[in-house]
Amino acid sequence: MDVAQHDLLIVGGGLAGIRAAIAAAQEGVSVGIISKVYPMRSHTVSAEGGAAAVVRADLGDSTDLHAFDTVKGSDFIADQDVVEYLVNEAPKEVIQMEHWGCPWSREPDGTVSVRAFGGMSINRTVFAADKTGFHMLHTIFQHSLRFDRIVRYDEHFVTKLLVDDGACRGVVAFDLRTGEFRAFSAKATILATGGCGRLWAFTTNGFINTGDGLALAYRAGAPISDMEFPQYHPTGLPGTGILITEAARGEGGYLLNKGGDRFLSQYVPTRMELGPRDIISRSMITEFEEGRGVPGRYGDYMLLDLRHLGEERINSKLPFVRELAENYVGIDPVREPIPVRPVVHYMMGGVRTNIDGATSLPGLYACGESAQVGLNGANRLGSNSLTECLVFGARTGKIAAQRARETPDGALHALEAQAADDDRATKKRFFEDDTGTERIGLVRGDLQQVMENYVGVFRTGEGLSAARQEIRQLQERFRRVRLDDKSSVFNTELMGALELENMLELAESVVVPALLREESRGSQARRDFPNRDDQRFLGHSLISRTPDGPRVEWQEAVITKWEPEERKY
Amino acid sequence: MAERTIGLSVTRFRPGEDRQPVSQTFTIPYHDDWVVLDALQYIKDRHDGSLSFRWSCHMGVCGSCGMMVNGVPKLTCAAFLRDYFPNEVRVEPLANFPVIRDLVVDIDDFMHKLAEVKPYIIRDDLETAPVGFGHEFRQAPEEVDDYRQFSMCINCMLCYSACPVYGMEPRFLGPAAIALAHRYNMDSRDQGRNERMPVIGSSEGIWECTYIGECSVVCPKNVDPASAIQRTKLATTNDWFRSILMPWGKR
């Protein structure tokens, strides 16, 4: 078995991973990007609305205002030093993307346009119509092609982090096309693998969003954090969960209940449709429970009305919304309101890192959605995540590259041996043992249903306990999984089994802190603990893996300028 | 009422097992809001876990799930069963590509060609230009319109699959790569046209295209690669005349 060697390895080829790769290449180190898909398939591609940055200070915006909005949006558990770093770097990163070719939407004078977004007190979201993530990803991926120092391993699946002598020394991965396992050695490794929205049945997330990087870190002993906070986006298409961007409301769309009322006046009167996602999603569920939703084949929904915006504005600012609504629910938003309901969209939680993207395991870093750097707290504001990928992708890439430069080459034979072991163990488990009876597709479907039933917009202690038990049973069932596919070439069933194993691990890491956090804050709404409790929970959950399941500790949020206050809009 | 069903005939090719592709038919429940991709995943989950195909976003933007559906290149996440029901649906791997397995094709050739056309902004001050508030390279909305359509390519490979020229001559640069080169050539921020021309203007570049236009017909994002190719031909011809008539002028 030969070993692939790089100074720095990056797992994941979305916006955060490629931004990190470019920053590292500019530091002069050799970079390997390992991704289970071609980079342009990464889930960044599905982001629609935009990226927040103070690029129009001339319109009255300021970095302090962006920071405060973010802290308030987080329900006061964002780490404020991290927030301040983000808001200061964001304008540079967004303009850097412009220089690299991103087709931002523009004003007549050629400057970059900004639009309104939920929880942001002024227009500060830079956008490329309503395909912002798509354009950013293709722009940065294509830009990365000019760097000879960046080598890609497309369609490779990482099975394990290599830990030797207390530090991360690379990864084990197999090439999907050949099935060959291989050790990848590096002096620093960055996880940029995105979130795990596929834990739920009804999600905006792509099939690939199974949280692989989180599970890799968790197993290797680096704690994950704030997993009890999955974000529900208010406007997904019923059935498929396809995202209808918040920009639809940013551009002036209304949310109406069955009676045609803009019901948000009862919940977020000062912000209405531009309230934060957690509060709007809760308001919608409350309306459903009180009988004011529109009944449909996939449960109740609300109406997203864009008709008053007019065809011209819809075509210029929201063309993808129109395309998606027409294709997937047969509705032309120029003429009819779009049916929408809250849908799992984003993980505030991730691998716990410091402001440099460093995890507790030396040599291991994380950025983007797979990291919990402290930016988003209990509720992320829309359009902060693309910015997070850029700002912390760049910083983490640079800092990891510096570590790589300062670290001497290590011996390879121990890594080789670990990779060979992992190869053998994986094949033994999934190919040789033929006694199982469970199908991965069915176990996965049941897991998604458990999460849907018990870990929704509102939770109870009782429901979460039931969820934990059922997840444990599913983990048991997984041990009896049998694969139909025992071949080596492009074995997506084997990859699916390893992804499901990751998902089953992470599901428990969501439920346990949700159970222990006996309060309601941001996206965690406990019916049995309806109030926020700053005495006990003004901070992050820190989740470690033990043989008995997740162990949770609490870590105080960093407060620099803004003391917690009642969160009202 | 008995559950309605639909048949899917799916191409299988298992390297090492099958000497050539074979077709396998599955009968599955019919849902009027399912797309072909949903049907494939249903088969994989319930009937045969070894069926191999690629997918991710399920919303027509990641470009993973292109296949031949009843002989036409389609994104299977946007091909509804209701448009075929009650007839059987035939699903095959994208034409014109080597098959790795089942419905998975090898797109390495495109990945190399993409890099060859230098699909990125080239300009002298790229490394040195300041960034941050007020430092954007200004671009009027009309200037964005010049290239925006060509920036919509999702690299789904449907155009290569539909292109008879690519089918005959795999060295042909092909619709998507040329459209992306054109996208940067048309960008007012870019100065790299002369660096791209040796590849685009070569015999395997634009001149192979016989303007059949199938690429633009199948493109799910209305990129219109055929027009990009024609416009590049025109611009290149102008360059050539200019270099003959005015050899002292560079562009």
Side-chain angles (χ1 to χ4, degrees), chain A residues 26 37-43 45-46 48 54-58 91-93 95-112 129 131 134-135 138-139 141-147 152 154-155 177 198 204-209 239-240 242-243 297-298 316 320 323-324 326-328 330 439-442 444 484-493, chain B residues 14-15 17 31-35 38 41 43-65 77-80 82 100-101 104-108 110-111 114-115 118-123 125-127 129-144 147-148 151-157 180 183-184 187 189 220-221:
Chain A
Q26 287 171 333
V37 291
Y38 286 95
M40 66 276 185
R41 316 299 190 209
S42 306
H43 195 61
V45 84
S46 297
E48 297 174 20
V54 181
V55 294
R56 298 304 305 265
D58 53 325
K92 294 178 219 167
E93 284 295 326
I95 297 304
Q96 181 67 79
M97 279 299 290
E98 192 279 327
H99 288 188
W100 289 344
C102 194
W104 297 131
S105 294
R106 305 273 181 158
E107 294 302 308
D109 68 356
T111 53
V112 168
K131 282 197 178 173
F134 161 78
H135 283 299
H138 280 255
T139 299
F141 169 59
Q142 290 167 4
H143 183 77
S144 77
L145 297 174
R146 58 193 305 154
F147 293 91
R152 294 200 327 271
D154 298 334
E155 299 196 318
R177 193 176 298 195
R198 275 275 154 183
T204 63
N205 281 202
F207 194 63
I208 58 176
N209 296 100
T240 56
I242 288 171
L243 171 70
R297 74 199 265 194
Y298 297 106
S316 68
F320 196 33
E323 179 188 326
L324 291 170
E326 284 183 333
N327 285 352
Y328 291 97
R439 299 189 65 82
I440 60 168
L442 302 186
R444 184 177 54 223
D484 296 335
D485 193 348
K486 302 201 169 27
S487 69
S488 52
V489 177
F490 224 89
N491 190 332
T492 50
E493 199 187 24
Chain B
R14 288 150 293 204
E17 266 178 68
H31 299 272
D32 63 0
D33 59 353
W34 271 19
V35 291
D38 296 323
Q41 189 62 40
I43 294 168
K44 188 172 180 68
D45 285 345
R46 310 252 167 180
H47 294 295
D48 187 348
S50 73
L51 179 64
S52 301
F53 51 95
R54 295 184 176 109
W55 73 281
S56 180
C57 77
H58 200 289
M59 58 192 284
V61 71
C62 81
S64 305
C65 70
C77 71
F80 284 85
R82 61 174 178 257
I100 295 174
R101 175 175 179 175
V104 178
V105 296
D106 180 348
I107 66 165
D108 279 355
F110 168 75
M111 297 304 282
L114 177 67
K118 301 184 189 245
Y120 35 79
I121 297 284
I122 296 171
R123 54 186 281 159
D125 62 350
L126 202 60
E127 305 290 326
V131 290
F133 168 66
H135 291 300
E136 61 260 62
F137 299 147
R138 290 205 180 191
Q139 193 166 53
E142 308 80 64
E143 291 174 308
V144 179
Y147 68 87
R148 188 183 33 212
S151 74
M152 303 301 272
C153 171
I154 62 172
N155 304 174
C156 65
M157 303 293 101
L180 284 163
R183 172 250 177 277
Y184 284 97
D187 192 318
R189 295 167 291 187
K221 299 290 137 182

Side-chain angles (χ1 to χ4, degrees), chain B:
Chain B
M1 195 177 78
E3 192 182 47
R4 290 189 294 178
T5 60
I6 187 167
L8 250 77
S9 110
V10 181
T11 302
R12 306 300 304 270
F13 173 67
R14 288 150 293 204
E17 266 178 68
D18 302 322
R19 300 190 62 162
Q20 54 189 21
V22 292
S23 159
Q24 188 177 2
T25 301
F26 299 92
T27 301
I28 60 156
Y30 168 73
H31 299 272
D32 63 0
D33 59 353
W34 271 19
V35 291
V36 170
L37 186 58
D38 296 323
L40 292 173
Q41 189 62 40
Y42 182 90
I43 294 168
K44 188 172 180 68
D45 285 345
R46 310 252 167 180
H47 294 295
D48 187 348
S50 73
L51 179 64
S52 301
F53 51 95
R54 295 184 176 109
W55 73 281
S56 180
C57 77
H58 200 289
M59 58 192 284
V61 71
C62 81
S64 305
C65 70
M67 298 167 210
M68 307 299 285
V69 180
N70 283 5
V72 181
K74 295 247 183 209
L75 293 180
T76 50
C77 71
F80 284 85
L81 294 181
R82 61 174 178 257
D83 295 333
Y84 305 93
F85 185 79
N87 299 315
E88 190 172 281
V89 186
R90 196 170 81 250
V91 188
E92 298 161 296
L94 280 181
N96 294 344
F97 290 92
V99 175
I100 295 174
R101 175 175 179 175
D102 293 347
L103 301 165
V104 178
V105 296
D106 180 348
I107 66 165
D108 279 355
D109 180 52
F110 168 75
M111 297 304 282
H112 292 305
K113 285 171 176 165
L114 177 67
E116 269 176 35
V117 302
K118 301 184 189 245
Y120 35 79
I121 297 284
I122 296 171
R123 54 186 281 159
D124 302 336
D125 62 350
L126 202 60
E127 305 290 326
T128 52
V131 290
F133 168 66
H135 291 300
E136 61 260 62
F137 299 147
R138 290 205 180 191
Q139 193 166 53
E142 308 80 64
E143 291 174 308
V144 179
D145 288 343
D146 286 341
Y147 68 87
R148 188 183 33 212
Q149 175 183 18
F150 305 107
S151 74
M152 303 301 272
C153 171
I154 62 172
N155 304 174
C156 65
M157 303 293 101
L158 301 196
C159 55
Y160 284 77
S161 191
C163 175
V165 178
Y166 185 66
M168 309 264 283
E169 176 48 87
R171 282 181 303 176
F172 174 42
L173 211 44
I178 297 174
L180 284 163
H182 185 65
R183 172 250 177 277
Y184 284 97
N185 284 343
M186 296 302 290
D187 192 318
S188 61
R189 295 167 291 187
D190 180 73
Q191 302 161 346
R193 187 164 173 270
N194 289 341
E195 288 190 40
R196 287 182 202 104
M197 285 330 277
V199 175
I200 307 171
S202 70
S203 58
E204 286 84 30
I206 46 177
W207 301 107
E208 283 283 345
C209 170
T210 50
Y211 202 57
I212 295 160
E214 279 301 315
C215 51
S216 296
V217 174
V218 300
C219 177
K221 299 290 137 182
N222 302 314
V223 172
D224 199 0
S227 105
I229 296 172
Q230 289 317 103
R231 287 159 71 171
T232 309
K233 279 183 182 173
L234 195 64
T236 312
T237 311
N238 284 343
D239 281 358
W240 185 80
F241 276 113
R242 231 175 281 164
S243 69
I244 299 295
L245 300 173
M246 302 183 289
W248 56 88
K250 272 230 152 166
R251 266 181 79 150

Side-chain angles (χ1 to χ4, degrees), chain A residues 411-472:
Chain A
L412 298 179
H413 55 269
L415 308 184
E416 241 178 306
Q418 282 191 51
D421 282 351
D422 196 48
D423 183 11
R424 268 192 303 274
T426 306
K427 287 184 177 134
K428 185 169 178 342
R429 270 200 310 157
F430 293 109
F431 292 170
E432 288 165 25
D433 180 1
D434 212 21
T435 56
T437 50
E438 294 284 353
R439 299 189 65 82
I440 60 168
L442 302 186
V443 175
R444 184 177 54 223
D446 289 349
L447 170 66
Q448 290 166 333
Q449 212 46 60
V450 168
M451 298 302 279
E452 208 60 44
N453 293 345
Y454 300 116
V455 198
V457 170
F458 288 100
R459 301 104 186 246
T460 63
E462 204 183 338
L464 292 166
S465 300
R468 185 173 188 192
Q469 243 174 356
E470 292 186 26
I471 291 164
R472 282 285 172 111

